[in-house]
Amino acid sequence: MFGLTGQVHYPLTSKEGWGEFVAQYIEAPPLLPPAAVQRLDPAGFEDYQRQRREHHARLVIVSTPTIRHIAATGRKRILLNQHQTSARRGLIVSGPSGTGKSTSITQLGKNFEQLTRRRQPHQAGLLPVVYVTVPPAATPKMLAVEFARFIGLPLPARFSQVEITNQVCDLLCTLGTRLVLLDEIHNMDIGTRIGAEAADQIKYLSERIPATFVLAGVDVDGGGLFAGRRGGQIASRYTLIPTRPFAHKTSADQNAWRSLVATLEQALRLHAHKPGTLLGLESYLHQRTGGRIGSLSQLIREAAFVAVAATTEKITRKSLDAVDLDLSAEVQDPQRTRRRRAPATAR
Ligand SMILES: Nc1ncnc2c1ncn2[C@@H]1O[C@H](COP(=O)(O)OP(=O)(O)OP(=O)(O)O)[C@@H](O)[C@H]1O
Ligand SMILES: [Mg+2]
């Protein structure tokens, strides 16, 4: 829970961590002219370097088509649901890993909560948004416990599933929760008895809490979530929003990818980086990452981190080549797979 600077950091799946995230407004640090860097005393220089390291570690949130789509559909759904007493409709965001599902739904939650707090500035005790993740092999009780943990509700060990569920629902109604974000729902397999009971619990919670439910998980549309009687009920209550890696076929695809690369490149704070270098490498970057925003972000952030640490202060094709990406990106890049298989002497 403690960060490098000694500050306390709570997980996003707690009301304290979520509150920090909603209140967070991060400005990119300035890139000082070389003469100004020279004038910094050692403490000032270390602070300058730390700011740039931290900035590159998180970079920026880009308004991608996925973010925009989920924001627009989510806002509309929340508004429509406010006048529904039952059968509120929700969203399910489903797609491969690293395609921006969690980022998109948490941004939706952040924007909605900021708007709610601006409109109701005197109601500090409100909890407009809840963000929980489904634990592996979740039982209905485990799900209720995750909600209780987010709220910070003390849970005596003797509490039954019904008692926890009731407390959670009553409290969330009182606290004015209007949006429930439920991430990692692929941890729930409704083909098993426990998974099916967990899915029923979500349905029950969504009936008792007058909120819009937004669910997200890895490829859950093909995983039987919509199969059978239970699946049919889920399908009729939720709209599916698929997420995909960026494609690179049509000129529209390529423009969307280039725009993403350009935005990330503009966010860099490196002294010797030649603007447009990454944009010039956009095809290579697509091949390296398979168009996954998660892999692209990791690649650029790591190369930027190395550029500051090694004082090269720039990202080049060579420095990008030196970054080892996540396995899903590496296995789909045929050139790198071949190189990894080749013995070291043949390289
Ligand atoms: N809109 C965005 N702008 C900038 N970076 C983004 C954006 N969306 C995602 N990323 C980056 O990609 C990484 C992966 O995104 P995210 O965690 O949202 O994907 P996911 O689909 O939820 O993945 P998983 O299925 O593994 O949970 C994030 O840590 C973030 O660095
Ligand atoms: Mg995720």
Side-chain angles (χ1 to χ4, degrees):
M1 245 192 241
F2 285 90
L4 288 176
T5 50
Q7 288 167 288
V8 179
H9 289 295
Y10 294 96
L12 197 56
T13 50
S14 67
K15 72 170 187 295
E16 292 82 6
W18 178 261
E20 277 180 2
F21 170 69
V22 171
Q24 207 172 46
Y25 173 74
I26 300 161
E27 237 179 309
L31 191 64
L32 297 178
V37 178
Q38 290 286 323
R39 281 198 299 273
L40 292 172
D41 62 20
F45 180 69
E46 178 41 42
D47 198 41
Y48 178 62
Q49 296 292 80
R50 180 188 52 75
Q51 280 182 29
R52 289 193 304 139
R53 267 198 308 273
E54 286 178 7
H55 168 69
H56 289 139
R58 54 176 180 252
L59 223 52
V60 284
I61 300 289
V62 184
S63 171
T64 56
T66 301
I67 289 246
R68 289 197 297 272
H69 184 44
I70 291 171
T73 320
R75 271 199 302 267
K76 205 162 45 190
R77 201 41 61 86
I78 296 167
L79 275 174
L80 289 171
N81 281 340
Q82 270 169 7
H83 305 287
Q84 288 291 112
T85 44
S86 67
R88 281 173 293 271
R89 307 259 321 247
L91 301 178
I92 294 186
V93 180
S94 167
S97 181
T99 49
K101 299 181 296 295
S102 302
T103 306
S104 302
I105 65 166
T106 50
Q107 287 297 316
L108 166 70
K110 179 171 182 163
N111 292 339
F112 175 68
E113 180 155 336
Q114 287 176 339
L115 195 73
T116 310
R117 293 199 181 280
R118 272 204 298 277
R119 284 191 182 146
Q120 297 163 308
H122 306 300
Q123 297 204 282
L126 286 182
L127 204 62
V129 181
V130 167
Y131 176 69
V132 291
T133 51
V134 177
T139 61
K141 184 170 181 178
M142 282 158 79
L143 270 179
V145 167
E146 289 303 313
F147 279 77
R149 213 197 309 276
F150 182 92
I151 312 169
L153 194 65
L155 288 180
R158 59 181 164 76
F159 263 29
S160 68
Q161 175 195 325
V162 175
E163 283 169 316
I164 302 171
T165 308
N166 280 336
Q167 290 233 4
V168 162
C169 292
D170 290 347
L171 206 51
L172 292 185
C173 289
T174 314
L175 295 171
T177 301
R178 291 289 169 267
L179 177 63
V180 170
L181 305 171
L182 203 51
D183 208 345
E184 311 272 312
I185 59 160
H186 50 264
N187 282 331
M188 206 175 65
D189 176 3
I190 71 165
T192 64
R193 188 180 55 81
I194 287 180
E197 284 171 5
D200 284 347
Q201 170 77 321
I202 294 174
K203 183 169 167 283
Y204 182 72
L205 291 169
S206 71
E207 271 157 14
R208 290 232 5 222
I209 305 163
T212 299
F213 275 57
V214 175
L215 280 42
V218 176
D219 293 331
V220 284
D221 46 333
L225 191 64
F226 299 116
R229 180 185 60 78
R230 274 196 186 83
Q233 222 172 12
I234 296 174
S236 67
R237 293 269 177 98
Y238 286 87
T239 304
L240 179 70
I241 302 188
T243 61
R244 301 184 182 88
F246 281 72
H248 204 257
K249 286 205 177 81
T250 66
S251 62
D253 291 341
Q254 289 166 10
N255 284 342
W257 176 252
R258 280 196 204 108
S259 158
L260 170 64
V261 172
T263 310
L264 292 175
E265 180 163 30
Q266 279 156 18
L268 293 173
R269 293 292 180 270
L270 296 171
H271 286 280
H273 186 76
K274 206 163 126 238
T277 307
L278 294 188
L279 196 53
L281 292 169
E282 57 94 11
S283 296
Y284 159 83
L285 290 170
H286 192 273
Q287 189 200 333
R288 275 292 308 272
T289 61
R292 284 172 202 248
I293 191 167
S295 307
L296 177 72
S297 156
Q298 188 202 339
L299 180 56
I300 297 179
R301 285 183 292 136
E302 193 165 328
F305 182 87
V306 171
V308 173
T311 69
T312 58
E313 292 289 336
K314 62 180 174 191
I315 299 181
T316 59
R317 163 76 192 249
K318 205 169 149 205
S319 74
L320 291 166
D321 266 340
V323 176
D324 279 322
L325 273 181
D326 53 284
L327 205 58
S328 56
E330 295 289 7
V331 292
Q332 60 75 48
D333 181 349
Q335 282 185 13
R336 287 186 67 91
T337 309
R338 265 200 304 278
R339 234 177 298 157
R340 263 200 320 279
R341 280 199 197 119
T345 47
R347 285 185 195 178

